[in-house]
Amino acid sequence: MRGTLSIVAKLPPADDGLHRWGRALGRDTLDELLLEQARSRGVHVMQPWSLQSFEGGPGKWRCEVRAVDTKAVLTLRALVAIDAHGSWEPLPSDRFQQACSGSDLLAFKANFSGASLPTGLLPVLAFEGGYGGMVMAEQGVLTLACCVRRDRLTALRRASPGLSAGEVVESLLNRECAGVQAALLSARRIGAWLAAGPLVPGIRLRADDPVFRIGNAAAEAHPIIGEGMSMAFQSAWLLCTHLIGAGAQPTLRDVTWQRAVGQAYAKDWHRQFARRLRLASAFAHLAMRPALASPLMALIRVWPGLLPLGATLGGKTRCITTTRSTHDSHL
Ligand SMILES: Cc1cc2nc3c(=O)[nH]c(=O)nc-3n(C[C@H](O)[C@H](O)[C@H](O)COP(=O)(O)OP(=O)(O)OC[C@H]3O[C@@H](n4cnc5c(N)ncnc54)[C@H](O)[C@@H]3O)c2cc1C
């Protein structure tokens, strides 16, 4: 969807016979399910605790954690460290003042009730200085999320003093995307707009990392292709296949073994996800720049098959757990 234009094409089904179509699930539901699943498998959950810093190395990690409520501090010792803390909250030990830039991408998200979106439609939005998406999740709640360049947002906020950043974003989307306006016509926002950022898309994972990274801690894709959660799950799965399935009874404290796992994981990770990140970046820049987005929309209008092609290249039809079935036996 861009301006008054909406181009619709069929999403290609996934190549997994059992799970051919994606499903939208709110983070509050998904995260709770994951936590309960981990707890039921014997994971010791410390909540609400926050990691302050970690030091040491493979086989001898020391992590300082602090209780958010009581401020109690503990040092945890671990043979293996897996960094899964995303990319939007630096550890207290890493915090530094980042210089602002007009091209910074700031992310916004809000939920709405009473919105109307045809069943099965998964719109991607393009507008000057940003991109976004809409999805109808469980119980008829519509999520509207987008990224906006800081310079665009600053100019819009100057023109509408008194409005919050989220309200400015909402009126921008209503004004510049007829599809959003139609979906929100009789909708009511549930709660406030949430914001994160600036996003720093790119690959952070390195073959010589002493700590294993998964999810956004390994790499952040422009969310235009909606693959972030999927990549977080799949990278975790991929790392586990290496940690669990790397042969007979590895000694976790063995630095050389951990290094070899890190290298093999990084190689597989790049093979699975690097193209997806490049593609997401290309889509994002095409969507945000009117001089590129207009001809692209004209092209897609003539050849709507470009949309399912993009979805396929972006990883929507493949799941690593089915393409790497040889590892299943180890799990
Ligand atoms: C606007 C927007 C829309 C998006 N839309 C989609 C979409 O439709 N589909 C999709 O698949 N992806 C989407 N994404 C991307 C997706 O949200 C991320 O890729 C995904 O959340 C990454 O998962 P993660 O587990 O690596 O990190 P996160 O989800 O960020 O989780 C990291 C967790 O670590 C915690 N944490 C951080 N620091 C500490 C600390 N020091 N101690 C303890 N805990 C800590 C955080 O509180 C958080 O709970 C979107 C992103 C944005 C910005």
Side-chain angles (χ1 to χ4, degrees), residues 81-290:
I82 301 176
D83 182 351
H85 84 287
S87 54
W88 304 324
E89 294 170 68
L91 294 183
S93 54
D94 292 344
R95 239 162 241 167
F96 60 95
Q97 204 61 38
Q98 230 179 340
C100 293
S101 154
S103 63
D104 283 346
L105 270 186
L106 305 172
F108 291 87
K109 171 177 148 176
N111 289 332
F112 295 84
S113 63
S116 65
L117 197 64
T119 308
L121 193 66
L122 192 65
V124 175
L125 320 170
F127 53 90
E128 184 181 344
Y131 57 83
M134 290 192 282
V135 63
M136 192 67 91
E138 72 265 47
Q139 290 162 354
V141 173
L142 178 126
T143 297
L144 173 60
C146 70
C147 294
V148 192
R149 279 176 60 115
R150 190 190 292 276
D151 47 10
R152 181 91 216 266
L153 185 65
T154 306
L156 290 167
R157 291 200 74 181
R158 266 198 209 113
S160 304
L163 289 190
S164 71
E167 287 164 339
V168 166
V169 165
E170 190 172 326
S171 65
L172 159 74
L173 294 173
N174 266 305
R175 206 172 46 245
E176 297 196 7
C177 212
V180 173
Q181 196 184 35
L184 297 187
L185 209 54
S186 49
R188 198 173 50 81
R189 197 174 70 229
I190 309 168
W193 276 89
L194 303 176
L199 308 190
V200 189
I203 300 177
R204 287 170 262 280
L205 180 81
R206 292 195 329 254
D208 60 352
D209 276 335
V211 63
F212 300 116
R213 296 173 201 273
I214 57 172
N216 271 26
E220 180 166 13
H222 276 277
I224 191 163
I225 58 169
E227 274 293 291
M229 288 305 299
S230 175
M231 281 172 50
F233 280 120
Q234 293 186 61
S235 58
W237 190 92
L238 188 58
L239 174 62
C240 288
T241 61
H242 284 288
L243 285 175
I244 300 169
Q249 295 297 312
T251 315
L252 285 181
R253 66 181 75 246
D254 182 344
V255 179
T256 316
W257 179 80
Q258 282 207 31
R259 220 172 267 150
V261 166
Q263 283 167 359
Y265 166 62
K267 196 168 158 202
D268 273 357
W269 189 99
H270 275 86
R271 194 179 310 131
Q272 291 292 338
F273 305 121
R275 186 172 71 177
R276 219 174 289 196
L277 262 96
R278 284 196 296 273
L279 201 72
S281 176
F283 285 157
H285 289 284
L286 285 169
M288 286 191 284
R289 294 168 198 213

